[in-house]
Amino acid sequence: MSITRPRLNDFYNVPITQEEVDFAIPFVDEDIPLYLDPFLLWKSPSMQDNSLHLLITNSFNHLGHLLSKGREKDAIELLIKASECNEVGLGNSKTKEGKRIGEKLAKNILSQFSVIPQIQKSGFIHFEEIQLLVDNFSKDRVSDIACNFIQSFLIDFTIEQSEKYGIPIEKVTLKNLYNSKTNSFGDEDTHLPLNPNTKKPILFTPKRWLRHIPWINTDDYFDNYYTKNIQKEGDVFPDKIKLLNFNRQNYDIVQAYTAIREKQLDNCKNDPLFHQIPITSAKRKISTITKLPTGKIDNADRKFEDNVCQLMTSMVYPHLDFAQEQSRTESGVQIRDLIFYNNKSYDFLKEIYETYSCTQIVMELKNVHEVKQEHVLQLNRYLKEQFGKFGIIVTRNRPPDKVKRNIIDLWSAHRKCILILDDMDLKQMAQVFESKQRNPIDIIKKKYIEFTRACPS
């Protein structure tokens, strides 16, 4: 199966949308660009989440306990094993393979348990504070360490969600599973979904725990706390290494910052994988689109593509999850396409899936005064096994009759369906998007019904 930016459910032909499931749907070839933030477990009203946060914290502080007992080697080994969790597939890796930290960084992290008196005495409450104390300890380490310490829960969660939605699971041996009773890593046989390419196990992560950056993070600390409360007027802002040294020597300041972040917990929300643009923004974009000249004057073609991309991805959500945009060259001209996953979440989408084998919907954007046969043929070349036999051209004006006839002829000869949306259709979609009385995708459905009625019986 050839799918653009395939997700696990697409490979197994499981028709779910990101909106309807409780976990972030894993990509097959790349990581999910989000991270588990332990703070979301700490602030959660769920006692289960609070317990898991306590488990993460206790497991991390156990490293300090080992250090205090002279077992530095054991602590280093545990921390290195905890530093990478490829099974969850969170982060920015394009290969789904991360690297563990080295011994030098592990020693540096563990040294905080001995050089900072407050930590030596009581340990961490939010271990993500390490970001403010140690260089090269980034948000992906926070996420991976937290995931590793609660892997047992993630296994149960993944099995439950897989059974709920019919995602196949297979017997597999996890090589790096943390046991919170023995505070050690070991092997365990279980059943999990497998990556169809690598045959490696996959763990699902609840969406409610995911953010782009942790709530406690270095940028927020330096920009919104240090510069306003610690840095004196006229002082030169020190480099990061000096700031980290300052934090280690003044840990009470880090604790004060953390206390403020705790008080701001109501503002701490999980990040969805996709944000719809607000209605006001949608209205501005449709106004911009309709005022643009056709062609390439003052980069009008690029502006048209940028605005349609942001507008369309929001208006068809959550019925269509956005896969990606891509540019290609036709005779030296860059052409922008939008590609959506078709998860059959609507009757119209189910019909084009069954009738035209449409697994992904490709939309071709044309800022031209008049759509011509060559544009139809360009999209037609796309409509093969990868996407099925359904596609959409988004352009500025109603197509001329000869193009309409060509599209019908294409259907008659090859049973391919090409719809053409213009400025008026986009306006209607934006109006429906604003009114919330119906779904904007109904406008595309209406065009499809008009198309089918025009086809010969």
Side-chain angles (χ1 to χ4, degrees), residues 379-437:
L379 179 56
N380 176 45
R381 287 196 287 273
Y382 255 169
L383 304 185
K384 298 177 181 176
E385 182 181 352
Q386 180 179 0
F387 299 112
K389 297 181 178 180
F390 177 91
I392 297 174
I393 295 174
V394 183
T395 185
R396 305 301 308 277
N397 301 304
R398 292 279 191 248
D401 289 342
K402 59 182 179 182
V403 171
K404 291 180 181 177
R405 285 195 297 274
N406 289 335
I407 289 174
I408 297 299
D409 291 343
L410 188 63
W411 179 87
S412 300
H414 303 286
R415 289 296 189 267
K416 291 184 177 181
C417 174
I418 292 178
L419 305 182
I420 298 179
L421 303 180
D422 59 29
D423 283 2
M424 294 302 295
D425 299 314
L426 293 183
K427 276 185 177 179
Q428 284 188 31
M429 292 180 75
Q431 289 167 358
V432 173
F433 184 62
E434 180 182 6
S435 69
K436 298 186 182 301
Q437 298 296 313

Side-chain angles (χ1 to χ4, degrees), residues 242-258:
K242 289 181 179 178
L243 280 169
L244 296 176
N245 285 333
F246 174 85
N247 289 343
R248 286 195 290 272
Q249 294 163 12
N250 299 274
Y251 183 64
D252 54 329
I253 290 177
V254 174
Q255 288 180 307
Y257 163 73
T258 301

Side-chain angles (χ1 to χ4, degrees), residues 133-252:
L133 304 170
V134 175
D135 195 23
N136 294 323
F137 189 85
S138 54
K139 57 188 178 184
D140 58 328
R141 295 302 176 199
V142 172
S143 176
D144 282 337
I145 289 173
C147 287
N148 267 320
F149 285 149
I150 59 171
Q151 257 203 59
S152 288
F153 169 84
L154 294 178
I155 290 171
D156 294 340
F157 176 75
T158 301
I159 293 172
E160 175 193 323
Q161 295 296 309
S162 297
E163 291 176 344
K164 181 177 181 179
Y165 294 105
I167 297 172
I169 57 177
E170 297 182 36
K171 186 177 181 180
V172 64
T173 301
L174 280 177
K175 297 290 187 182
N176 194 54
L177 180 64
Y178 187 74
N179 185 329
S180 59
K181 293 179 180 175
T182 60
N183 295 115
S184 61
F185 284 93
D187 297 354
E188 183 171 310
D189 292 334
T190 184
H191 289 77
L192 289 172
L194 300 184
N195 184 305
N197 293 337
T198 64
K199 302 302 179 187
K200 292 184 177 178
I202 290 175
L203 289 172
F204 298 161
T205 316
K207 290 190 299 185
R208 66 181 186 276
W209 297 347
L210 302 180
R211 285 175 55 84
H212 289 295
I213 55 173
W215 184 242
I216 295 172
N217 65 82
T218 51
D219 288 344
D220 180 73
Y221 171 79
F222 293 137
D223 295 342
N224 298 321
Y225 183 77
Y226 182 88
T227 54
K228 294 177 182 176
N229 299 285
I230 309 301
Q231 188 180 18
K232 296 177 181 176
E233 189 173 351
D235 284 356
V236 177
F237 192 79
D239 62 33
K240 185 178 179 182
I241 299 300
K242 289 181 179 178
L243 280 169
L244 296 176
N245 285 333
F246 174 85
N247 289 343
R248 286 195 290 272
Q249 294 163 12
N250 299 274
Y251 183 64
D252 54 329

